[in-house]
Amino acid sequence: MNSVTAHDYAWIRNSPLFDHLLEWGYTLTFIRGRSPHGLLRAVDAEPRGTGEGTAGLAEAEAAHREEVDGDEWEDSYVVGAFDTPGEKGDWTVVLGFDGGLGLPGVEKLSEGGRVVVHSSNSGKPIHLFDWYEDGVLRTSFEGPSARHGSSPDELVPLLREVGFPVTPEGEHDENAPDVDRFDRKAAVLALTERLTGVRVTESLLRDATYELGLVPEQLAEK
């Protein structure tokens, strides 16, 4: 049984990569049941070749920003996708320096599989977590004591195990051990690993070969 907790992800606070993600805003999506190529096709992404590591992904996003310079309403962005082993087979991991916009049509992407997403925007920090199962949003939250979805309380035991300061009823627990030193982002990464089996490390994201795609502002009608 996977026993990972927030403590296993304490390294993110000394990570230049995560500093960059939090500064610029990001979405990290984990998808079971779709290949990187199939996922990018499903979101109508325009192929942009491959990128070596997060440096290559950032270069592709910067090049796109130059293309649309001056268009303040431009919400398209470049994402990178790669596959990695996890629970019940391979998962596709998708990273975007997208300001927390996220992939379009995530509910549909989860049909027949599972999707786990966490993100941060680049303004006043909003940190979101979403778990989808077979086309349904099961649990979503910004703060873990204010959950919604079709089964908002299902993850409460896992929330407590990975380190979120919540009571058995899912309320905020001000008396939880280490509550003053609680690292919500580290706990979210631990929760994500519990649901996907994918251990995120700096090298996993930094050194992957990404299949790149330009995600449009909205999906085409089909």
Side-chain angles (χ1 to χ4, degrees), residues 157-218:
L158 279 183
L159 291 172
R160 287 170 53 79
E161 287 180 21
V162 301
F164 282 102
V166 293
T167 67
E169 296 74 31
E171 302 297 327
H172 179 66
D173 186 0
E174 295 182 355
N175 298 316
D178 300 326
V179 67
D180 292 334
R181 293 179 290 165
F182 170 63
D183 189 328
R184 180 170 58 182
K185 187 59 69 175
V188 161
L189 282 160
L191 179 63
T192 299
E193 182 176 340
R194 293 287 191 105
L195 292 170
T196 65
V198 177
R199 170 63 61 93
V200 173
T201 64
E202 177 132 352
S203 61
L204 178 75
L205 299 179
R206 184 192 62 215
D207 302 331
T209 296
Y210 289 90
E211 185 169 346
L212 303 176
L214 177 64
V215 178
E217 295 180 72
Q218 60 185 16

Side-chain angles (χ1 to χ4, degrees), residues 45-76:
E46 176 188 314
R48 289 294 177 104
T50 60
E52 291 304 318
T54 47
L57 172 57
E59 288 172 5
E61 173 62 13
H64 171 60
R65 289 296 126 207
E66 289 184 3
E67 293 173 2
V68 298
D69 185 35
D71 185 353
E72 62 179 328
W73 301 110
E74 176 60 61
D75 286 331
S76 59

Side-chain angles (χ1 to χ4, degrees), residues 21-221:
L21 294 179
L22 294 171
E23 179 181 359
W24 292 99
Y26 78 93
T27 302
L28 191 57
T29 306
F30 301 76
I31 301 172
R32 187 177 67 200
R34 293 180 184 267
S35 68
H37 182 70
L39 176 280
L40 293 176
R41 288 190 61 186
V43 298
D44 295 335
E46 176 188 314
R48 289 294 177 104
T50 60
E52 291 304 318
T54 47
L57 172 57
E59 288 172 5
E61 173 62 13
H64 171 60
R65 289 296 126 207
E66 289 184 3
E67 293 173 2
V68 298
D69 185 35
D71 185 353
E72 62 179 328
W73 301 110
E74 176 60 61
D75 286 331
S76 59
Y77 53 90
V78 176
V79 299
F82 65 94
D83 59 12
T84 192
E87 179 187 273
K88 298 181 180 179
D90 284 349
W91 288 67
T92 290
V93 180
V94 186
L95 176 61
F97 300 107
D98 61 0
L101 290 172
L103 291 173
V106 178
E107 293 93 340
K108 188 171 181 61
L109 292 174
S110 73
E111 291 179 355
R114 173 178 287 183
V115 175
V116 180
V117 187
H118 60 83
S119 63
S120 293
N121 70 352
S122 56
K124 182 179 180 181
I126 298 175
H127 306 287
L128 302 178
F129 172 89
D130 300 295
W131 164 42
Y132 298 83
E133 195 85 17
D134 198 18
V136 177
L137 176 60
R138 298 283 288 274
T139 304
S140 178
F141 61 81
E142 180 180 1
S145 60
R147 305 170 303 279
H148 64 275
S150 66
S151 53
D153 296 334
E154 186 173 349
L155 294 183
V156 168
L158 279 183
L159 291 172
R160 287 170 53 79
E161 287 180 21
V162 301
F164 282 102
V166 293
T167 67
E169 296 74 31
E171 302 297 327
H172 179 66
D173 186 0
E174 295 182 355
N175 298 316
D178 300 326
V179 67
D180 292 334
R181 293 179 290 165
F182 170 63
D183 189 328
R184 180 170 58 182
K185 187 59 69 175
V188 161
L189 282 160
L191 179 63
T192 299
E193 182 176 340
R194 293 287 191 105
L195 292 170
T196 65
V198 177
R199 170 63 61 93
V200 173
T201 64
E202 177 132 352
S203 61
L204 178 75
L205 299 179
R206 184 192 62 215
D207 302 331
T209 296
Y210 289 90
E211 185 169 346
L212 303 176
L214 177 64
V215 178
E217 295 180 72
Q218 60 185 16
L219 294 177
E221 293 187 7

